[in-house]
Amino acid sequence: MRDDTPDETRRVHLSRTFDEDAELYDRARPGYPPEVFDDLTQVAGVGPGCRVLEVGAGTGKATLPLAELGCRITAVELGAGMAAVARRNLAGFEAVEIVTADFETWPLPQEPFDVVLAASAFHWIDPAVRMTKAADALRPGGALAVVATQHVAGGSEEFFVEVQGCYERFDPATPPGLRPPAADDVDTSDHADEAARSGRFDPVVFRRHEWNLTYTTAEYLEVLQTYSGHRALPSEAREGLLECIAGLIDTRYGGRITKRYLTELRVSRTAPALR
């Protein structure tokens, strides 16, 4: 199971949940490894003066490192609360504009962009328009850069086996026996296929990074409450799930667990001959 493949029938509803507590999202959600931004520089050409359109900017987790690289950024964010926090976080950067809008209907400016970036957001955009509109926003030879993060096997592996019992008890939609996949087993070729089907992009270049993050019980509960699937649970089930998880971490794992992430950068350039 992939973390960036929401049920299409619930995609729009789930995508709205993040704005319910923007401050929690900003406080609890991790950012991205520095290597991702090194890759963006090397593969996508991000750097000083680069004109970037960021789609689904959230509270600015990727926007801030890009701004620190000297990029000129227009960041589009659907949630008013998330956009407000992003404006606060990016207040020191005059070359950053945060726009509250949905990417699907937002009118593209006349001047094209060097890079369109979506960090943990591309899967929330309507599949019918996301590739073509990203291509329309780019200059010839410009880059679409998609960053996706997946929970993979590693870290406190026994915890993630045991915690499955909590999910099966409180969330009936949980597949039985679910386990985090090994990083090598995460197949994201569907993104390359989608880019190819659009007819607008050259082949996708992939870069992957595995990294660990250790959470206290309280920190882990906070990050779980930023995930759309957890937020969409009925309140009684969500509270029961979180209590079950907290009890497991505190009694069996000394109040701390480590989660392993796989962050993947996918870069495809517009095919100049087709522009």
Side-chain angles (χ1 to χ4, degrees):
M1 179 176 288
R2 290 251 303 278
D3 293 343
D4 63 341
T5 52
D7 178 355
E8 184 58 26
T9 63
R10 304 177 70 210
R11 175 180 53 79
V12 173
H13 166 67
L14 292 174
S15 70
R16 274 27 177 204
T17 63
F18 302 109
D19 203 52
E20 294 169 356
D21 194 339
E23 294 291 350
L24 174 65
Y25 187 100
D26 189 55
R27 179 175 69 250
R29 275 288 182 108
Y32 302 95
E35 293 85 357
V36 170
F37 298 95
D38 294 339
D39 289 342
L40 279 167
T41 299
Q42 295 165 11
V43 182
V46 166
C50 180
R51 183 167 157 78
V52 177
L53 170 61
E54 186 182 3
V55 180
T59 61
K61 295 289 183 178
T63 324
L64 182 57
L66 288 173
E68 290 172 340
L69 287 172
C71 297
R72 297 179 294 147
I73 306 167
T74 299
V76 178
E77 168 52 45
L78 172 65
M82 301 277 270
V85 175
R87 290 188 188 99
R88 183 187 71 207
N89 290 340
L90 277 299
F93 296 91
E94 293 183 359
V96 177
E97 177 189 15
I98 310 294
V99 178
T100 307
D102 67 276
F103 176 66
E104 290 90 337
T105 63
W106 179 66
L108 292 173
Q110 287 193 333
E111 184 183 355
F113 293 88
D114 301 307
V115 175
V116 172
L117 171 75
S120 302
F122 200 67
H123 54 288
W124 296 117
I125 304 167
D126 185 349
V129 303
R130 59 194 180 196
M131 281 290 177
T132 54
K133 189 158 186 177
D136 289 343
L138 288 164
R139 62 169 174 79
L144 169 62
V146 172
V147 180
T149 295
Q150 166 86 29
H151 176 200
V152 293
S156 303
E157 294 200 63
E158 284 303 312
F159 164 75
F160 291 106
V161 172
E162 289 193 68
V163 80
Q164 178 70 11
C166 295
Y167 283 94
E168 292 182 14
R169 177 180 172 190
F170 291 100
D171 182 3
T174 301
L178 186 65
R179 300 287 184 269
D184 288 345
D185 293 337
V186 177
D187 181 4
T188 55
S189 60
D190 58 323
H191 180 83
D193 294 341
E194 184 181 356
R197 283 195 308 271
S198 75
R200 303 291 299 276
F201 291 96
D202 289 336
V204 179
V205 176
F206 293 88
R207 293 287 186 272
R208 285 183 161 192
H209 301 282
E210 291 183 61
W211 51 291
N212 291 332
L213 192 57
T214 298
Y215 295 96
T216 65
T217 303
E219 290 168 344
Y220 192 60
L221 295 189
E222 282 206 328
V223 78
L224 289 180
Q225 292 175 81
T226 71
Y227 295 151
S228 58
H230 292 69
R231 298 196 65 85
L233 285 173
S235 58
E236 186 174 344
R238 182 172 60 250
E239 290 166 10
L241 174 62
L242 295 175
E243 183 177 343
C244 182
I245 293 170
L248 182 60
I249 298 173
D250 285 338
T251 59
R252 299 269 292 130
Y253 294 91
R256 302 176 75 85
I257 58 98
T258 298
K259 185 173 181 178
R260 179 166 294 174
Y261 293 96
L262 169 68
T263 296
E264 182 177 73
L265 173 65
R266 311 160 184 169
V267 176
S268 45
R269 291 191 176 273
T270 54
L274 299 180
R275 292 300 299 263

